[in-house]
Amino acid sequence: MKTPGEPDWAYKPESSPGSRQIQLWHFILELLRKEEYHDVIAWQGDYGEFVIKDPDEVARLWGARKCKPQMNYDKLSRALRYYYNKRILHKTKGKRFTYKFNFNKLVLVNYPFIDMGSGRGVPQSAPPVPTGGTHFRFPPSTPSDVLSSSEELRSPGMFSSVARRMARGSVSDCSDGTSTNSELEEAVGADERGVGPERAFRGLLPPRLPHDSLFRVYGGGPNPAGLPRPAPRVHPEPLSPFSVSPLPGPGGLLAPTLSPALSMTPTPHLSYTPSPSLSSPMMGSHFSFNPEDMKHYLQAHTQSVYNYHLSPRAFLHYPNIVIPQPHRPTLEKPAAHHLHGPPLPLSHSLSQQSGGVDEGQHPSPFKFKLQPPPLGRKQRESGSSLAASSSSSSSSQSTSYTGSAHLNNSGPPKIKVEPISDIESEEEVEVTDISEEDELNHIDEEEEGGIFTPTARRNRHQLNNHHQANGNLRGLSAPPHTSPDEDDDEDVFKTPATPPIGGGGPAFPLLNLKSEPGQAAPISPGGTRCIPLKLRFKRRWSEDQKMEADGERDEAEDKKVRADGEEEMEEKREEAGRRGGEMENGRGGGGVILGLMLPPPPTQRRASSELQRATAQLSLENTSC
DNA sequence: CTCGGAAGCC
DNA sequence: GGCTTCCGAG
């Protein structure tokens, strides 16, 4: 029953956050969102960056959760390091016990309603993400559930069901599973009574939203038009890229919960953002839920980090959605700008692209897995030889975009956009094919989204090449040369977005370019590859910039604030990602991930708090062991 | 401290 | 697959 494209992992219950087999990163997220543990581990620094203040304690907690009394930081950190290759995390160099989630590309859109931060304390660095496992329990535990998951989304029941699950408590104890959680429980417990989780959810969402509704919600529905939102981008700190969720008000149904990520997304440059959002006075008139929005939304989900092991599938299928080719409406500007954000960040690009391509075709986009192929340093070093060959060859086919993308990026980071065509193929390919071509794609993916296919793995070394590839892509073969090193990896992380200036536009826009006719008609039908992407980008970019103006500025500032070598790069990318999430291949097929778009920081998360509480129960630790 | 290979467990 | 455990190296 699973659709062809869907990856197995999507179904895996075990990996789900709430499941017994909680994964370390879920656990970390969980701890991060609990105020109780702020002394032990907390967000700090920029996006997704967190510091383990008390390594031993974190290890202890982890050990407790996993019933591994022997756990210690050394081991835990090994596990964390293990995520480097998966692109889930990376180390913040120079800072002890400091790691950073790769939210950049990963959009946490899924499970939007999950709010992350419970604590108000949540900082700045906290991602707007749903944190922790607690919340996301979506992943069905059983196959049947899985199936249902999709249903859940659409049906009214979904939330409730979710809530129920949550209520049960995900954390299990080692022993039977029945036990509840200890520490957390208490904390949460009290609140919960007041509002049951279910209630909370329901409150958030109207009981029976058709899926349409949901989307609407996300899209813009949330804020009642009137919410006065604080200035969206107030964000003052560099740290808070993720801003906290913008939740609308308390009563809001959804809003809050709904993905902050989505809503927040500034998407400045998405030009055509559909922002239906209410808030904008201009458009406020009616928000109609556009297919685009949905699309965006869906896509976002697709890409979201959480997809990792969660099952996004649900989102995938929306056959009906047809995306018009968008184009950027210049007019509105993303109004979203501010607050609400439609989900779009990614989408636009995606939508356009995918719209055409993907969606229609395959619903299941998610092919991407986070795992990248890690090569060991050694391997890389030694491996260089291998790498060269395959990568180069593959490129040729890639569609124009790909190549173009590279070109653009060539400078600094490498970004790559997948070609649409590839995408499709990719889906299938992912696992199976590994032809040379694929390799390129994969590589690209890695850079962008961090998705890796098996193939990629093998050729990790090739990654080294990618740089070259980028340059060469269009061309074709990449020269062998390796420049491995950690930098690469990092680059990879960063890579995704990179827009030159603020706009991430360029890179992503590639896609748009395609679709956008209005502008410079950049692409001529046939020769996409040949076309001077740069020019296109440039134009596009300029437009975007105009549009983005506000948003960008902010971001720029943020960047300034920080300025660390690498980090800067990353951030840039990140930003790009956010803004431009567009680029990534939207098609789902590929797995691209996108940047998350983070939005401005609204602040409220009251509603969310309820959720949190509800979820809180889930518990972090089981003492039962 | 941090990294990552290798082996092993579930 | 996702760690856990151990460990040598930087």
Side-chain angles (χ1 to χ4, degrees), chain A residues 131-410:
Chain A
T131 49
T134 7
H135 298 191
F136 12 119
R137 298 200 97 193
F138 289 28
S141 22
T142 63
S144 58
D145 286 352
V146 172
L147 293 179
S148 65
S149 68
S150 59
E151 291 179 356
E152 289 181 354
L153 291 178
R154 340 181 153 156
S155 62
M158 115 188 222
F159 290 94
S160 60
S161 67
V162 171
R164 268 177 243 139
R165 290 181 189 173
M166 292 175 74
R168 285 182 215 153
S170 46
V171 178
S172 44
D173 14 32
C174 311
S175 56
D176 24 262
T178 23
S179 66
T180 50
N181 355 288
S182 45
E183 302 176 358
L184 293 179
E185 203 173 349
E186 292 180 359
V188 176
D191 293 351
E192 229 184 311
R193 297 173 188 164
V195 177
E198 291 183 356
R199 259 185 115 172
F201 280 101
R202 287 187 180 177
L204 295 176
L205 300 181
R208 26 155 118 175
L209 298 179
H211 51 289
D212 293 357
S213 314
L214 287 177
F215 287 99
R216 283 180 198 164
V217 171
Y218 287 101
N223 258 314
L227 286 179
R229 334 172 129 232
R233 290 188 160 242
V234 181
H235 79 316
E237 342 176 24
L239 302 180
S240 51
F242 286 46
S243 56
V244 183
S245 50
L247 311 184
L253 315 163
L254 9 131
T257 49
L258 301 185
S259 61
L262 292 178
S263 50
M264 309 178 75
T265 20
T267 35
H269 75 273
L270 314 175
S271 22
Y272 60 92
T273 20
S275 55
S277 36
L278 9 132
S279 35
S280 55
M282 311 172 53
M283 345 189 25
S285 47
H286 58 301
F287 151 64
S288 53
F289 160 39
N290 314 340
E292 288 187 0
D293 290 350
M294 283 180 78
K295 241 191 166 180
H296 292 297
Y297 176 70
L298 293 178
Q299 294 198 349
H301 277 270
T302 312
Q303 313 202 341
S304 103
V305 171
Y306 289 95
N307 283 333
Y308 186 68
H309 288 170
L310 292 186
S311 70
R313 336 166 314 68
F315 299 92
L316 302 184
H317 315 278
Y318 285 84
N320 299 337
I321 302 174
V322 175
I323 297 177
Q325 295 228 347
H327 320 316
R328 24 157 65 285
T330 334
L331 46 151
E332 315 180 8
K333 170 173 222 157
H337 30 25
H338 324 297
L339 326 159
H340 35 313
L344 355 129
L346 310 174
S347 14
H348 26 16
S349 57
L350 294 179
S351 61
Q352 292 178 348
Q353 292 177 342
S354 55
V357 177
D358 232 8
E359 297 227 343
Q361 304 180 346
H362 298 277
S364 57
F366 319 31
K367 281 203 145 189
F368 41 82
K369 293 187 175 186
L370 292 178
Q371 285 205 351
L375 289 185
R377 296 176 183 176
K378 295 176 182 178
Q379 290 182 352
R380 292 177 197 168
E381 293 173 357
S382 65
S384 62
S385 63
L386 294 178
S389 66
S390 62
S391 66
S392 64
S393 63
S394 60
S395 62
S396 62
Q397 265 195 349
S398 54
T399 58
S400 57
Y401 288 12
T402 315
S404 62
H406 291 288
L407 291 177
N408 292 342
N409 296 342
S410 61

